[in-house]
Amino acid sequence: MLANLIQLRHGNQKSAAQVPRSLACLLLTLVSLGSATAQPADTSKPIADLPASEDPDRPQRPPTPEESESPTIKGVIAAFDAPKGATRLAPDARLWIDKPNRRVIVDGYVAVQEGLLEMFACPAGTKEHESAVAVLARSQYVHAALLAVGATPGRPVQFQPKFSPPTGDRIAIWVLWRDKEGKRHRAKAQEWICKTGTKEQLNTDFVFAGSQWWTDPRSGRDFYSADDGDLICVSNFASATLDVPIESSKDAEYLEFSACTENMPPRGTPIRMVMIPVSPALNAKPADKEKAGEAKPADKPAADAKLDADLDSLGPKDSPATQPTTPDAGSDS
């Protein structure tokens, strides 16, 4: 069953049959659920670190976002209700799957509003100094959630013997938030990412590359590479869960993308990210595209109207308590 759910055999990755038990159990749970139903801010430190186990060889129960003392995380929780009809993936993540509508929903906050970017999104407490958004979920959880709603991973970028871009299903990404006046907003992820030195927005989709697993030779423990931060990348990384299907340098002096500051709310603003697989895959053959059946022009207005209504229903609460608050920048807690 798992072999049909994940295809992760490339490079040093493990095959589906060798996927670590933690993710295997998570995927089996998802299958059963699916069958049932002024001055720039200091961005040198994460806004809100989620505490880790003191002994990595004997991990404790992961803390839940609701247990966090971080004002930023508390602000995120206050800003959004659990999405109706969706299933929460894990207690230690603000992450839901809406299987009937093929949507993954994850909460977080703005991490970088100004400056160069290597990622659009990273797990909270990882690479927040170079990511537009930090989310309250591990990358492997997002991977599992995308599988649960029917997305198919491809493979990460390859640099040798020549550059080969990442492949996989296209994933549309929306961001929802409320400004300081209380007005709701939503934007495509691409609207928050500009070509460095210009106002030209990112003009490509993200693809579900799938990252990779590796084994620590000393401990024998398995690790999902993107958990270190490479969740949704705008620079090419072989460890990326999602990446851009174009050549984009990860060298600091040649970073191609920056935050579109004028399109973004302030650092620390609570956000909700909605991820929707787009059929067919970006690397699909013409015959596959015809088989997948794209919406006819006459169907698109109705489909767009439904999406608008659904996104509105997933937006921030109306309570004044959900308004963006001053971020606890540089918190080490």
Side-chain angles (χ1 to χ4, degrees):
M1 182 180 295
L2 287 178
N4 294 328
L5 278 173
I6 63 177
Q7 302 295 326
L8 291 175
R9 192 180 185 90
H10 42 80
N12 293 324
Q13 295 180 207
K14 294 184 173 294
S15 67
Q18 295 174 299
V19 171
R21 183 178 300 176
S22 59
L23 186 55
C25 292
L26 186 60
L27 289 169
L28 288 171
T29 300
L30 290 173
V31 172
S32 63
L33 287 171
S35 61
T37 29
Q39 288 294 320
D42 177 11
T43 59
S44 60
K45 295 183 179 180
I47 290 177
D49 287 334
L50 295 179
S53 167
E54 294 181 1
D55 183 357
D57 293 323
R58 301 183 63 184
Q60 303 167 2
R61 176 185 64 80
T64 69
E66 288 77 10
E67 294 171 335
S68 174
E69 294 299 319
S70 162
T72 302
I73 294 179
K74 288 182 177 181
V76 172
I77 295 169
F80 296 96
D81 285 324
K84 294 180 180 180
T87 302
R88 189 165 176 174
L89 189 71
D92 58 319
R94 293 279 297 183
L95 173 69
W96 295 265
I97 56 170
D98 178 356
K99 193 171 178 63
N101 291 307
R102 299 191 71 211
R103 291 179 189 143
V104 173
I105 303 147
V106 59
D107 291 345
Y109 50 86
V110 176
V112 170
Q113 187 203 17
E114 182 178 356
L116 297 170
L117 298 176
E118 291 188 358
M119 291 91 204
F120 173 73
C122 70
T126 59
K127 297 185 176 181
E128 295 186 25
H129 63 290
E130 52 197 2
S131 179
V133 167
V135 299
L136 304 182
R138 298 166 67 183
S139 296
Q140 64 174 281
Y141 288 180
V142 175
H143 183 130
L146 287 169
L147 293 174
V149 298
T152 302
R155 58 157 181 76
V157 63
Q158 295 179 348
F159 299 102
Q160 298 295 333
K162 64 179 182 178
F163 177 83
S164 181
T167 64
D169 275 7
R170 294 180 296 156
I171 308 296
I173 303 172
W174 293 85
V175 186
L176 316 176
W177 77 98
R178 188 184 293 279
D179 64 25
K180 62 183 179 181
E181 283 78 34
K183 182 180 178 181
R184 289 186 176 194
H185 296 271
R186 70 170 178 262
K188 291 183 177 180
Q190 286 87 341
E191 296 177 52
W192 285 16
I193 306 163
C194 283
K195 191 78 172 176
T196 298
T198 76
K199 294 185 179 181
E200 178 186 348
Q201 296 174 9
L202 178 67
N203 63 355
T204 187
D205 292 307
F206 293 96
V207 295
F208 183 17
S211 191
Q212 56 189 358
W213 290 92
W214 66 279
T215 302
D216 185 328
R218 295 171 297 178
S219 67
R221 295 180 61 210
D222 295 308
F223 295 90
Y224 183 72
S225 295
D227 279 341
D228 286 341
D230 303 337
L231 174 55
I232 304 176
C233 298
V234 295
S235 293
N236 300 136
F237 285 91
S239 50
T241 303
L242 277 75
D243 204 344
V244 288
I246 57 175
E247 189 167 6
S248 179
S249 176
K250 63 179 181 290
D251 295 334
E253 61 270 32
Y254 300 114
L255 293 180
E256 298 192 25
F257 296 102
S258 300
C260 290
T261 305
E262 62 186 26
N263 296 342
M264 300 175 63
R267 186 171 183 252
T269 299
I271 62 95
R272 170 162 284 175
M273 189 166 71
V274 182
M275 308 172 69
I276 307 174
V278 179
S279 294
L282 186 69
N283 56 329
K285 299 177 181 178
D288 295 331
K289 293 183 180 182
E290 293 179 6
K291 185 177 179 180
E294 296 186 6
K296 298 177 182 178
D299 298 334
K300 288 186 177 180
D304 291 345
K306 183 180 186 305
L307 177 60
D308 287 345
D310 289 348
L311 290 174
D312 284 342
S313 72
L314 294 171
K317 294 188 288 190
D318 292 328
S319 168
T322 67
Q323 301 305 309
T325 57
T326 303
D328 44 320
S331 172
D332 293 320
S333 60

